[in-house]
C-alpha cells in the first residue's frame, strides 16, 4: 500500500533509511556520520510511504521549481518486490498533480539499484551546465558532506 505519510510514521523511517544505506557498505560506500536524510524532515506532507507500518519511503522537496526526490529507501528485508518502483511512480504522479514539469534527483552512477535503475524508469543524466542554482547548491552540499559527485550523477525525468 502506497500512501501519504502520517506524523506517527516519521519516527520509524530513519531505521529504514539506515538499513537501506547498509546495502552500500559492501560496495565501499559509507555515508557520513550524523543524522539520516529523513531525520531532517518534520513535514509528513513531503513523504510517501509503503506499508503500514512503513517498509519504505520517498522524501521529496522542490529544487529550482521542480519536484526533487531527496531520498527513496526500502528496507532490505522487503527489497526486490517492486516497492521502490511503486514509490517512484507515486512521486511522479504527485509531481504531475502539483504541476511541476519534471522530477530531479542525485544518485550513484555505477550502483545497479541507483542510476541504472532510474534510467530504466525514464530518467536521464543532466550535465552540470544544465543544473539550476539550487541544484548546483545541493550538489555542493553533498560534496561538503563527503559524498563526492564523481561517482554520482544528477538525473531528471520530464513529466
Amino acid at each position: 500500500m502506497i500512501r501519504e505519510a502520517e506524523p506517527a510514521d516519521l519516527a520509524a523511517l530513519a531505521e529504514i533509511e539506515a538499513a537501506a544505506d547498509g546495502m552500500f557498505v559492501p560496495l565501499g560506500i559509507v555515508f557520513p556520520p550524523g543524522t539520516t536524510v529523513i531525520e531532517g524532515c518534520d513535514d509528513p506532507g513531503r513523504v510517501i510511504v509503503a506499508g503500514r507500518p512503513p517498509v519504505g519511503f520517498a522524501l521529496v522537496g522542490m529544487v529550482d521549481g521542480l519536484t526533487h526526490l531527496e531520498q527513496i529507501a526500502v528496507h532490505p528485508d522487503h527489497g526486490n518486490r517492486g516497492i521502490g518502483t511503486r514509490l517512484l511512480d507515486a512521486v511522479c504522479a504527485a509531481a504531475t498533480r502539483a504541476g511541476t514539469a519534471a522530477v530531479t534527483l542525485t544518485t550513484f552512477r555505477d550502483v545497479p539499484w541507483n542510476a541504472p535503475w532510474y534510467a530504466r524508469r525514464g530518467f536521464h543524466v543532466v550535465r552540470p551546465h544544465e543544473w539550476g542554482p539550487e541544484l548546483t547548491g545541493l550538489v555542493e552540499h553533498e560534496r561538503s558532506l563527503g559524498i563526492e559527485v564523481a561517482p554520482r550523477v544528477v538525473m531528471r525525468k520530464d513529466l
Side-chain angles (χ1 to χ4, degrees), residues 122-146:
F123 284 78
H124 65 275
V125 173
V126 179
R127 304 290 176 213
H129 71 273
E130 300 173 285
W131 301 349
E134 293 175 350
L135 192 52
T136 299
L138 178 66
V139 169
E140 289 300 320
H141 177 68
E142 287 184 356
R143 283 185 181 146
S144 75
L145 294 174

Side-chain angles (χ1 to χ4, degrees), residues 37-91:
V37 173
I38 195 66
E39 286 176 311
C41 177
D42 60 1
D43 178 4
R46 295 181 49 213
V47 183
I48 299 169
V49 296
R52 190 180 299 273
V55 298
F57 71 88
L59 172 64
V60 298
M62 294 295 288
V63 174
D64 294 318
L66 301 174
T67 298
H68 184 78
L69 178 58
E70 294 183 29
Q71 176 79 340
I72 191 168
V74 175
H75 195 286
D77 291 347
H78 298 273
N80 298 312
R81 299 180 190 170
I83 295 170
T85 298
R86 289 194 299 276
L87 284 166
L88 184 61
D89 290 346
V91 167

